Amino acid sequence: MSVMMRFVTSLIIPLWALAMLALGIEYRSLWWLGCGVVVGGIGLLLLVGNPLAAPILDIRETWRRRPPR
């Protein structure tokens, strides 16, 4: 359950950051844009550090999955 809660939280935070960026663009507010960038950076770190999202987001090991020629 703890892993699922972390996964849901790590998805909600970047979505909230996108909403703040949209508010900043709509209202031309540097406050919303700045908050959206900061929260988005934190949310991205949480998402990348999540063990459930790691196989999807890890591009360093993609060459191992390709069949040999």
Side-chain angles (χ1 to χ4, degrees), residues 2-47:
S2 173
V3 174
M4 283 305 287
M5 288 301 291
R6 284 178 27 199
F7 185 65
V8 168
T9 304
S10 66
L11 286 177
I12 289 173
I13 292 175
L15 291 176
W16 176 242
L18 288 175
M20 286 194 284
L21 288 172
L23 285 171
I25 292 170
E26 181 180 345
Y27 295 126
R28 294 185 179 100
S29 170
L30 290 176
W31 173 258
W32 282 114
L33 285 172
C35 287
V37 167
V38 170
V39 172
I42 293 169
L44 186 63
L45 286 174
L46 288 174
L47 186 62

